[in-house]
Amino acid sequence: MPMGHTATAQAGSGGLTATEHRLANGLRVVLSEDHLTPVAAVCLWYDVGSRHEVEGRTGLAHLFEHLMFQGSKQVKGNGHFELVQGAGGSLNGTTSFERTNYFETMPTHQLELALWLEADRMGSLLAALDEESMENQRDVVKNERRQRYDNVPYGTAFERLTALAYPEGHPYHHTPIGSMADLDAATLEDAQTFFRTYYAPNNAVLSVVGDIDPEETLAWIEKYFGSIPSHDGKKPPRDGTLPGTIGGQLREVVHEEVPARALMAAYRLPHDGTREADAADLALTVLGGGESSRLHNRLVRRDRSAVAAGFGLLRLAGAPSLGWLDVKTSGGVEVESIETAVDEELARFAAEGPTPEEMERAQAQLEREWLDRLGTVAGRADELCRFAVLFGDPQLALTAVGRVLDITADEVREVAAATLRPDNRAVLVYEPVEPADETGAEDGADADAHEEAAK
């Protein structure tokens, strides 16, 4: 049977507990009881994301997220969705730079089904993976790219800013969606090798949270996952180390059919899991986290030069995090005036720091967001996996709120002064252009050219 330790509520955990276990094949298991409602969440994080990909094969991690729903040895076609939803549950999967996760929330009496389904595809997906399913999901991902990136206003902003903020060859230079060319180039053999390397129990963390019997749950996990062999062929991701600041302003102007001019920027910030990252999160919350923030008050309410202004943190563990600024201008306002106002507010904040009222409000806002995540079984399961995979200790998820509340105003000011500067950002400026002549687009040559550009 798996080995574990007794749960004890840590200071600042709000009484929440979690126990940790490990199977002989290396699968890490985290359990957290919560009998408030008769549901249970299953969350499985694989330690693989786009940062593990190599040049010429970007998008494989995200493609595999889709392939994992294409059937396995004992579950054909769309059966995973059909079985979970037919049992009254919900499910999905996502891919990021640093992980791929799969999750189900089930009525308590259907928990065993979710565990069996996850184990079946971890252990036997290759039995069902063939050229037909590969082509099917390749097309799905390519359409997703068109719909979410290529054919929507500002859709490629995230991809462009990431490519600017992380230099060529850096593991975070490309986004999880991958390129059309690389998706087309991926072979069935590539997918099979990718699965064998990364979809192994010793490269995963499984959390189960909710109305569970821990002994019974562990017995099911051992029954279904215990016989899956481990795999030792995984290479560590490429080094994501970079200097603390960019050292100069990087800039790109995009002329596209967008509703309004926009100023977007990415600032290089401290790695996730550090006290400095929590301080940066508070700084960005004061500056751009909602309608009470400084940038919203300055640009939207006072100057009326923007219709929206936000600032948020993309937390990353294996590379510097990014602070994301997004301002949409109003009317015919020029981006230059927006940028001047932003720099004035950042300089003032770096010099003076947050007021006591701003600190209290920002900490309360982040506390509420954390508690909202931990307050649901699905959110807690995800956070337990996150801290286990990225930081080695799922218990840290239960005390994260306390660490944010422990940050001082001086720490917030210091991180802002060190990082929120013009020489530490990648800037993207959107300038609207007139829509293309729709009559001309009817012409076959123009339509072909447009379709080719989308690829």
Side-chain angles (χ1 to χ4, degrees), residues 290-338:
E291 295 185 0
S292 63
S293 67
R294 290 195 181 191
L295 290 177
H296 185 90
N297 281 326
R298 167 73 184 271
L299 299 172
V300 179
R301 288 184 176 173
R302 196 193 86 178
D303 296 353
R304 297 186 178 180
S305 58
V307 294
F311 217 163
L313 179 64
L314 174 62
R315 288 177 175 264
L316 296 170
S321 302
L322 291 180
W324 288 87
L325 173 71
D326 187 349
V327 182
K328 304 296 192 310
T329 69
S330 59
V333 174
E334 297 288 339
V335 168
E336 183 179 3
S337 64
I338 294 285

Coordinates of all heavy atoms in Angstrom, one line a residue, residues 290-338:
G290 N -8.2 46.2 -11.0 CA -9.6 46.6 -10.8 C -9.9 48.1 -10.8 O -9.0 48.9 -11.1
E291 N -11.1 48.4 -10.6 CA -11.6 49.8 -10.8 C -11.1 50.8 -9.7 O -11.2 52.0 -9.8 CB -13.1 49.8 -10.9 CG -13.6 49.1 -12.1 CD -15.1 49.2 -12.3 OE1 -15.7 49.9 -11.5 OE2 -15.6 48.7 -13.3
S292 N -10.5 50.2 -8.6 CA -10.0 51.1 -7.6 C -8.5 51.3 -7.7 O -7.9 52.0 -6.9 CB -10.3 50.5 -6.2 OG -9.6 49.3 -6.0
S293 N -7.9 50.8 -8.8 CA -6.5 50.8 -9.0 C -6.0 52.2 -9.4 O -6.8 53.0 -10.0 CB -6.0 49.8 -9.9 OG -6.5 50.1 -11.2
R294 N -4.8 52.5 -9.3 CA -4.2 53.8 -9.7 C -4.4 54.1 -11.2 O -4.7 55.2 -11.6 CB -2.8 53.9 -9.3 CG -2.5 54.0 -7.8 CD -1.1 54.5 -7.5 NE -0.9 54.6 -6.0 CZ 0.2 55.1 -5.5 NH1 1.1 55.7 -6.3 NH2 0.3 55.2 -4.2
L295 N -4.0 53.1 -12.0 CA -4.1 53.3 -13.5 C -5.5 53.5 -13.9 O -5.8 54.3 -14.8 CB -3.4 52.2 -14.2 CG -1.9 52.1 -14.0 CD1 -1.3 50.9 -14.7 CD2 -1.2 53.3 -14.5
H296 N -6.4 52.7 -13.4 CA -7.8 52.9 -13.8 C -8.3 54.3 -13.4 O -9.0 55.0 -14.2 CB -8.7 51.8 -13.1 CG -10.1 51.9 -13.6 ND1 -10.6 51.2 -14.7 CD2 -11.2 52.6 -13.1 CE1 -11.9 51.4 -14.8 NE2 -12.3 52.3 -13.9
N297 N -8.0 54.7 -12.2 CA -8.4 56.0 -11.7 C -7.8 57.1 -12.6 O -8.5 58.1 -12.9 CB -8.0 56.2 -10.2 CG -9.0 55.5 -9.3 OD1 -10.2 55.4 -9.6 ND2 -8.5 55.0 -8.2
R298 N -6.5 57.0 -12.9 CA -5.9 58.0 -13.7 C -6.4 58.0 -15.2 O -6.8 59.1 -15.7 CB -4.4 57.8 -13.7 CG -3.5 58.6 -14.7 CD -3.5 60.1 -14.3 NE -2.7 60.9 -15.3 CZ -1.4 61.1 -15.3 NH1 -0.7 60.6 -14.4 NH2 -0.9 61.8 -16.2
L299 N -6.3 56.9 -15.8 CA -6.6 56.9 -17.3 C -8.0 56.8 -17.6 O -8.5 57.4 -18.6 CB -5.8 55.7 -17.9 CG -4.3 55.6 -17.7 CD1 -3.7 54.3 -18.2 CD2 -3.7 56.8 -18.5
V300 N -8.8 56.1 -16.9 CA -10.2 55.9 -17.3 C -11.1 56.9 -16.6 O -11.9 57.5 -17.3 CB -10.7 54.4 -16.9 CG1 -12.2 54.2 -17.2 CG2 -9.8 53.4 -17.6
R301 N -10.9 57.1 -15.3 CA -11.8 58.0 -14.6 C -11.4 59.5 -14.8 O -12.2 60.4 -15.1 CB -11.9 57.7 -13.1 CG -12.6 56.4 -12.8 CD -12.7 56.1 -11.4 NE -13.5 55.0 -11.0 CZ -13.7 54.4 -9.8 NH1 -13.0 55.0 -8.8 NH2 -14.4 53.4 -9.6
R302 N -10.1 59.8 -14.5 CA -9.7 61.2 -14.5 C -9.4 61.7 -15.9 O -10.1 62.7 -16.4 CB -8.5 61.4 -13.6 CG -8.2 62.8 -13.3 CD -6.8 63.0 -12.7 NE -5.8 63.2 -13.7 CZ -4.5 63.5 -13.5 NH1 -4.1 63.4 -12.2 NH2 -3.7 63.7 -14.5
D303 N -8.5 61.1 -16.6 CA -8.1 61.7 -17.9 C -9.1 61.3 -19.0 O -9.2 61.9 -20.0 CB -6.7 61.1 -18.3 CG -5.6 61.6 -17.4 OD1 -5.9 62.5 -16.5 OD2 -4.5 61.1 -17.5
R304 N -9.8 60.2 -18.8 CA -10.7 59.6 -19.8 C -10.0 59.4 -21.1 O -10.6 59.5 -22.2 CB -11.9 60.6 -20.0 CG -12.8 60.7 -18.8 CD -14.0 61.5 -19.0 NE -14.8 61.6 -17.8 CZ -16.0 62.2 -17.7 NH1 -16.5 62.8 -18.8 NH2 -16.6 62.3 -16.6
S305 N -8.8 59.0 -21.0 CA -8.0 58.7 -22.2 C -8.0 57.2 -22.6 O -7.5 56.8 -23.6 CB -6.5 59.1 -22.0 OG -6.0 58.5 -20.9
A306 N -8.6 56.4 -21.7 CA -8.6 54.9 -21.9 C -10.0 54.4 -21.5 O -10.7 55.0 -20.6 CB -7.5 54.2 -21.1
V307 N -10.4 53.3 -22.2 CA -11.7 52.7 -21.8 C -11.4 51.5 -20.8 O -12.3 51.0 -20.2 CB -12.4 52.2 -23.0 CG1 -12.9 53.4 -23.9 CG2 -11.6 51.2 -23.9
A308 N -10.1 51.1 -20.8 CA -9.8 50.0 -19.9 C -8.3 50.0 -19.6 O -7.5 50.4 -20.5 CB -10.1 48.6 -20.5
A309 N -7.9 49.7 -18.3 CA -6.5 49.8 -17.9 C -6.3 48.7 -16.8 O -6.9 48.8 -15.8 CB -6.1 51.1 -17.5
G310 N -5.5 47.7 -17.1 CA -5.2 46.7 -16.1 C -3.8 46.3 -16.1 O -3.0 46.5 -17.0
F311 N -3.4 45.7 -14.9 CA -2.0 45.3 -14.7 C -2.1 44.0 -13.9 O -2.7 44.0 -12.8 CB -1.3 46.3 -13.9 CG 0.2 46.6 -14.3 CD1 0.8 47.7 -13.9 CD2 0.9 45.6 -15.0 CE1 2.1 47.9 -14.2 CE2 2.2 45.8 -15.3 CZ 2.8 47.0 -14.9
G312 N -1.5 42.9 -14.4 CA -1.6 41.6 -13.7 C -0.3 40.9 -13.8 O 0.6 41.2 -14.5
L313 N -0.2 39.8 -12.9 CA 1.0 39.1 -12.8 C 0.9 37.7 -13.4 O -0.1 36.9 -13.1 CB 1.5 38.9 -11.4 CG 2.7 38.1 -11.1 CD1 3.9 38.8 -11.7 CD2 2.9 37.9 -9.6
L314 N 1.7 37.3 -14.4 CA 1.8 35.9 -14.9 C 2.9 35.3 -14.1 O 4.1 35.5 -14.3 CB 2.1 35.9 -16.3 CG 2.4 34.5 -16.9 CD1 1.2 33.6 -16.8 CD2 2.9 34.6 -18.4
R315 N 2.6 34.5 -13.1 CA 3.5 33.8 -12.2 C 4.2 32.6 -12.9 O 3.5 31.8 -13.5 CB 2.9 33.3 -10.9 CG 2.4 34.4 -10.0 CD 1.7 33.8 -8.8 NE 1.4 34.8 -7.7 CZ 2.1 35.0 -6.7 NH1 3.2 34.3 -6.5 NH2 1.8 35.9 -5.8
L316 N 5.5 32.6 -12.9 CA 6.3 31.5 -13.5 C 7.4 31.1 -12.6 O 8.0 31.9 -11.9 CB 6.9 32.0 -14.9 CG 5.9 32.4 -16.0 CD1 6.6 33.0 -17.1 CD2 5.1 31.1 -16.4
A317 N 7.6 29.8 -12.5 CA 8.6 29.3 -11.6 C 9.9 29.0 -12.2 O 11.0 29.2 -11.6 CB 8.1 28.0 -10.9
G318 N 9.9 28.7 -13.5 CA 11.2 28.3 -14.1 C 11.8 29.4 -14.9 O 12.9 29.2 -15.6
A319 N 11.3 30.6 -14.9 CA 11.8 31.8 -15.5 C 11.2 33.0 -14.8 O 10.3 32.9 -14.0 CB 11.4 31.8 -17.0
P320 N 11.8 34.2 -15.1 CA 11.2 35.4 -14.5 C 9.7 35.5 -14.8 O 9.3 35.2 -15.9 CB 12.0 36.5 -15.1 CG 13.3 35.9 -15.5 CD 13.0 34.5 -15.9
S321 N 8.9 35.9 -13.8 CA 7.5 36.1 -14.1 C 7.4 37.4 -14.9 O 8.3 38.1 -15.2 CB 6.8 36.3 -12.7 OG 6.9 35.1 -11.9
L322 N 6.1 37.6 -15.4 CA 5.9 38.8 -16.2 C 4.7 39.6 -15.6 O 3.7 39.0 -15.3 CB 5.6 38.4 -17.7 CG 6.7 37.8 -18.5 CD1 6.2 37.4 -19.9 CD2 7.9 38.7 -18.6
G323 N 4.9 40.9 -15.6 CA 3.8 41.8 -15.3 C 3.2 42.3 -16.5 O 3.9 42.8 -17.4
W324 N 1.9 42.1 -16.7 CA 1.2 42.4 -18.0 C 0.4 43.6 -17.8 O -0.6 43.7 -17.1 CB 0.3 41.2 -18.4 CG 1.1 40.0 -18.8 CD1 1.6 39.0 -18.0 CD2 1.5 39.7 -20.2 NE1 2.3 38.1 -18.8 CE2 2.2 38.5 -20.1 CE3 1.3 40.3 -21.4 CZ2 2.8 37.9 -21.3 CZ3 1.8 39.7 -22.5 CH2 2.5 38.6 -22.5
L325 N 0.8 44.6 -18.6 CA 0.0 45.9 -18.7 C -0.9 45.9 -20.0 O -0.4 45.5 -21.0 CB 1.0 47.1 -18.7 CG 0.3 48.5 -19.0 CD1 -0.4 48.9 -17.8 CD2 1.4 49.5 -19.4
D326 N -2.1 46.3 -19.8 CA -3.0 46.3 -21.0 C -3.9 47.5 -20.9 O -4.7 47.6 -20.0 CB -3.9 45.0 -21.0 CG -4.7 44.8 -22.2 OD1 -4.8 45.8 -23.0 OD2 -5.3 43.8 -22.4
V327 N -3.7 48.4 -21.8 CA -4.5 49.7 -21.8 C -5.1 49.8 -23.2 O -4.4 49.8 -24.2 CB -3.7 50.9 -21.5 CG1 -4.5 52.1 -21.5 CG2 -2.9 50.7 -20.2
K328 N -6.5 50.0 -23.3 CA -7.2 50.3 -24.5 C -7.6 51.7 -24.5 O -8.2 52.2 -23.6 CB -8.4 49.4 -24.7 CG -8.2 47.9 -24.6 CD -7.3 47.4 -25.7 CE -7.3 45.8 -25.8 NZ -7.1 45.1 -24.5
T329 N -7.2 52.5 -25.6 CA -7.4 53.9 -25.6 C -8.8 54.2 -25.9 O -9.6 53.4 -26.5 CB -6.5 54.6 -26.6 OG1 -6.9 54.2 -27.9 CG2 -5.0 54.2 -26.4
S330 N -9.2 55.4 -25.6 CA -10.6 55.9 -26.0 C -10.5 56.9 -27.1 O -9.5 57.7 -27.2 CB -11.3 56.5 -24.8 OG -10.5 57.6 -24.3
G331 N -11.5 56.9 -28.0 CA -11.5 57.9 -29.1 C -10.2 57.9 -29.9 O -9.7 56.9 -30.2
G332 N -9.7 59.1 -30.2 CA -8.5 59.3 -31.0 C -7.3 59.5 -30.2 O -6.3 60.0 -30.7
V333 N -7.3 59.1 -28.9 CA -6.1 59.3 -28.0 C -4.9 58.6 -28.6 O -5.0 57.4 -29.0 CB -6.5 58.9 -26.6 CG1 -5.2 59.0 -25.7 CG2 -7.6 59.7 -26.0
E334 N -3.8 59.3 -28.6 CA -2.5 58.7 -29.1 C -1.9 57.8 -27.9 O -2.0 58.2 -26.8 CB -1.5 59.7 -29.5 CG -2.0 60.6 -30.7 CD -2.0 59.8 -32.0 OE1 -1.3 58.8 -32.1 OE2 -2.7 60.2 -32.9
V335 N -1.2 56.7 -28.3 CA -0.6 55.9 -27.4 C 0.5 56.6 -26.6 O 0.7 56.3 -25.4 CB 0.0 54.6 -28.1 CG1 0.9 53.8 -27.1 CG2 -1.2 53.7 -28.6
E336 N 1.2 57.5 -27.2 CA 2.2 58.3 -26.6 C 1.8 58.9 -25.3 O 2.5 58.9 -24.3 CB 2.8 59.3 -27.5 CG 4.0 60.1 -27.0 CD 4.6 61.1 -27.9 OE1 4.0 61.2 -29.0 OE2 5.6 61.7 -27.6
S337 N 0.6 59.5 -25.3 CA 0.1 60.2 -24.1 C -0.3 59.2 -23.0 O -0.1 59.5 -21.8 CB -1.1 61.1 -24.4 OG -2.2 60.3 -24.9
I338 N -0.8 58.0 -23.4 CA -1.1 57.0 -22.5 C 0.2 56.5 -21.8 O 0.3 56.3 -20.6 CB -1.7 55.8 -23.2 CG1 -3.1 56.2 -23.7 CG2 -1.8 54.6 -22.2 CD1 -4.2 56.3 -22.7

